[in-house]
Amino acid sequence: MASLLALVRNTWRTLTSMGTALVLLFLLALAAIPGALLPQRSLNEAKVGEYIAEHPTIGPWLDRLQAFDVFSSVWFTAIYVLLFVSLVGCLTPRLAEHIRSLRATPVPAPRNLGRLPKHADAEVRGDVPAVAAAADAGLGGWRRVTRWDGEVAEVAEISAEKGYLREFGNIVFHFSLLGLLVAIAAGKLFGYEGNVIVVADGGPGFCSASPAAFDSFRAGNTVDGTSLHPMCVRVNDFAADYLPNGQAVSFRADIDYQAGDDLAAGTWQPYLLKVNEPLRVGGDRVYLQGHGYAPTFTVTFPDGQTRTQTVQWRPEDQFTFLSSGAMRFDPPGGTYPDERERRENQIAIQGLFAPTEQLDGTLLSSRFPALQDPAVAVDIYQGDTGLDSGRPQSLFSLDPRMIDQGRLTKVARVNLKAGQDTRLPDGTVVRFDGATPFVNLQVSHDPAQVWVLVFAMAMMAGLLVSLIVRRRRVWLRLAPGAAGTVNVELGGLARTDNSGWGDEFEKLTARLLAGSPTEATEPGRTEATEPGRTEATEPGRTEKEADRA
């Protein structure tokens, strides 16, 4: 039993040491590297599947090791919890010790002050009580105490110390680090983040009452999606400024939103959404994350009925916004009475979109990111697009299995400018109507965000205090001298940083001696005989008089 208690005690001491906390902090940073290098399932499950398919040997092993779920993995959580416990166990005793040191009086002077790194002695006129009172007044800002010898009432010792804020700043820094970890964990537990693409200029907008309204949604472990803050957003217009070389300067979206009483009243509030200037509503923040273009196509079927779609295409080149995408059109009811015939005459479009057309022969590219001369290069397919299969498909590409099986047949390849159309063999007309900007909005909810900021600022403040403030100790021993003088002996010790302590000690010595109630044997100055040691030139004479002599 005793050995078990000893093992537990030693384990606890090791875990709560500052060295262990530093090792765990390093391990936490090291463990986060796979989360930055590998695709994460919480962000993009499709990319995780692609990675595993491309790496059939190592991919499944990485999946077993939770490398695609790093920040929710068992081993990352274990390091996080151990770091938390280590910091609490390490800092709590230090805080208690610091409180005791704040209440304690400075320690008595060593027996031999001459052995200290900084030492000086001098002889001043006056009596011990008056010199002690003057020295005590000269130590303003220092915590100090005057002790009198019980047997020899004329002998006094002054102990002074300053720099207690250094340890306080150190403790504030580490407790703020602990609070920062707690705030980040709370944000992950109770926060959520959703991304949604909204088409501008009359697009349908979206409402955030349900996770289903988002294109992607990442929820904290305690968020089930039933208590999201209700809010609706529609995008009236999007504008971007570019340099002549195509480099983006600024982005802004003119939006309207509804929240709170506006939802019941049906009123909309305007807001100009910019990058790094989010809309803040009910604890949620709406960010402008990105933008692109949504081409519009109109398909006129042989009987004259039309279908029109505006769908976002994915930018392949972030500089010129050359984009790729796909669309699927189902014939209107009554165009083909037979259900099988209807499925065989669905229309699919896949290709490239350029906001500012540039042609190399028939090869389409874009020369500028702004919507100046929109054009598309598309393949048009006819047949079964898979809309009725119930199988999920990519928004930006057609299902290659439908093409490989011959169920979807290419009937045309064409370049079109805005307003141009092409006629298919069966009389169907496909027209490119132009394009509309879309924006990618991110709705974030993090109830601990303010606390993250507070603890981060407290960390910086504590770090600055611990670096600037230096711990110092000074002792003075006062004893009666000959012919109405007092022998003053001073000693100084730097408890932390020793840089600059020599000059500081000499200035302090000069100030304390100059503050004596009667003229010192050296008026405010002493002649150094050894580094850190001074003594009077001659009682009652100044340095100038000694030099003239």
Side-chain angles (χ1 to χ4, degrees):
M1 187 64 179
S3 60
L4 179 61
L5 291 176
L7 177 63
V8 172
R9 182 174 60 254
N10 293 335
T11 302
W12 175 254
R13 288 177 178 174
T14 303
L15 177 62
T16 56
S17 66
M18 184 54 69
T20 302
L22 292 174
V23 170
L24 288 171
L25 189 60
F26 173 76
L27 288 177
L28 190 70
L30 194 64
I33 293 177
L37 298 179
L38 297 173
Q40 297 298 295
R41 188 169 277 111
S42 60
L43 299 178
N44 195 326
E45 190 168 358
K47 284 192 174 294
V48 173
E50 292 176 6
Y51 185 92
I52 295 176
E54 293 173 0
H55 303 81
T57 302
I58 193 174
W61 283 102
L62 290 175
D63 196 16
R64 294 188 186 98
L65 294 174
Q66 298 179 299
F68 303 116
D69 302 280
V70 169
F71 302 106
S72 60
S73 63
V74 174
W75 46 272
F76 189 88
T77 305
I79 297 174
Y80 200 95
V81 172
L82 285 175
L83 176 61
F84 181 82
V85 173
S86 179
L87 286 174
V88 171
C90 174
L91 295 177
T92 303
R94 285 184 61 183
L95 178 61
E97 182 181 354
H98 182 62
I99 293 175
R100 286 196 297 268
S101 68
L102 290 176
R103 301 177 62 183
T105 57
V107 298
R111 180 171 298 180
N112 189 352
L113 292 178
R115 292 184 177 180
L116 294 177
K118 302 298 177 184
H119 176 257
D121 51 25
E123 189 175 79
V124 298
R125 292 182 180 180
D127 54 24
V128 173
V131 173
D136 183 79
L139 288 170
W142 293 65
R143 176 181 288 186
R144 57 199 182 275
V145 62
T146 302
R147 297 181 176 89
W148 296 88
D149 193 319
E151 298 178 357
V152 185
E154 290 298 320
V155 176
E157 288 184 355
I158 299 177
S159 302
E161 186 171 355
K162 73 173 183 177
Y164 288 91
L165 279 178
R166 179 186 179 91
E167 179 64 14
F168 178 75
N170 202 348
I171 292 175
V172 167
F173 172 80
H174 287 92
F175 268 106
S176 298
L177 174 61
L178 182 64
L180 185 66
L181 295 174
V182 174
I184 292 175
K188 294 297 182 182
L189 285 173
F190 301 101
Y192 57 83
E193 187 176 273
N195 287 272
V196 59
I197 290 177
V198 182
V199 177
D201 298 337
F206 86 103
C207 293
S208 64
S210 169
F214 296 92
D215 296 321
S216 64
F217 188 79
R218 298 185 295 275
N221 294 341
T222 62
V223 177
D224 58 4
T226 60
S227 58
L228 304 186
H229 181 75
M231 173 179 54
C232 293
V233 175
R234 66 186 182 190
V235 180
N236 300 321
D237 187 25
F238 173 83
D241 296 326
Y242 302 97
L243 296 177
N245 63 355
Q247 180 180 353
V249 176
S250 64
F251 306 116
R252 57 194 177 276
D254 177 18
I255 69 170
D256 292 335
Y257 70 93
Q258 290 180 328
D261 295 337
D262 293 331
L263 291 170
T267 57
W268 293 85
Q269 304 295 330
Y271 188 81
L272 186 61
L273 190 64
K274 298 181 180 180
V275 177
N276 296 326
E277 295 183 17
L279 168 66
R280 301 177 184 272
V281 178
D284 288 352
R285 302 177 309 281
V286 182
Y287 292 95
L288 178 61
Q289 288 287 92
H291 75 286
Y293 296 102
T296 300
F297 284 88
T298 297
V299 176
T300 304
F301 290 90
D303 65 347
Q305 296 192 74
T306 62
R307 291 284 199 191
T308 300
Q309 286 190 34
T310 301
V311 178
Q312 67 269 21
W313 283 19
R314 178 173 53 198
E316 299 291 345
D317 188 331
Q318 296 297 328
F319 190 75
T320 64
F321 275 82
L322 182 67
S323 307
S324 65
M327 291 186 183
R328 301 164 180 85
F329 294 83
D330 194 25
T335 301
Y336 300 100
D338 183 69
E339 181 66 21
R340 180 176 180 179
E341 186 180 5
R342 181 190 65 82
R343 285 200 304 268
E344 291 176 351
N345 285 277
Q346 292 174 342
I347 299 297
I349 300 172
Q350 180 173 262
L352 296 175
F353 165 79
T356 302
E357 179 189 41
Q358 178 174 307
L359 288 175
D360 183 7
T362 59
L363 182 63
L364 177 69
S365 62
S366 178
R367 68 174 183 271
F368 200 73
L371 198 63
Q372 295 179 351
D373 187 16
V376 293
V378 294
D379 291 331
I380 302 175
Y381 294 82
Q382 193 169 28
D384 188 358
T385 61
L387 290 174
D388 301 322
S389 65
R391 192 167 52 235
Q393 299 187 52
S394 170
L395 181 66
F396 303 108
S397 62
L398 300 178
D399 189 347
R401 291 172 295 185
M402 308 300 288
I403 299 174
D404 294 340
Q405 295 170 8
R407 299 167 64 181
L408 199 57
T409 305
K410 184 191 299 184
V411 293
R413 168 172 285 187
V414 63
N415 290 0
L416 299 173
K417 288 190 172 185
Q420 293 181 344
D421 58 40
T422 185
R423 182 176 293 272
L424 304 184
D426 69 341
T428 301
V429 177
V430 177
R431 185 179 70 242
F432 171 52
D433 298 322
T436 304
F438 73 80
V439 296
N440 180 18
L441 301 181
Q442 182 186 84
V443 180
S444 298
H445 178 79
D446 186 353
Q449 185 187 38
V450 175
W451 289 107
V452 170
L453 176 62
V454 169
F455 287 125
M457 294 177 64
M459 282 180 60
M460 293 301 300
L463 182 61
L464 287 175
V465 169
S466 65
L467 292 176
I468 294 174
V469 177
R470 294 175 293 183
R471 197 78 179 267
R472 302 287 193 252
R473 277 181 177 174
V474 172
W475 294 276
L476 288 82
R477 183 173 285 124
L478 310 175
T485 62
V486 177
N487 294 323
V488 181
E489 187 178 10
L490 299 94
L493 178 66
R495 296 196 62 192
T496 52
D497 184 13
N498 198 47
S499 63
W501 175 225
D503 293 339
E504 184 181 352
F505 180 78
E506 290 177 4
K507 292 178 181 178
L508 178 65
T509 300
R511 186 172 76 248
L512 293 178
L513 294 179
S516 300
T518 57
E519 185 183 1
T521 55
E522 307 172 70
R525 297 182 62 185
T526 58
E527 181 182 358
T529 58
E530 292 178 16
R533 181 181 176 88
T534 59
E535 61 184 30
T537 55
E538 201 176 317
R541 299 181 65 182
T542 65
E543 274 190 14
K544 293 182 179 179
E545 291 173 345
D547 291 338
R548 287 197 298 269

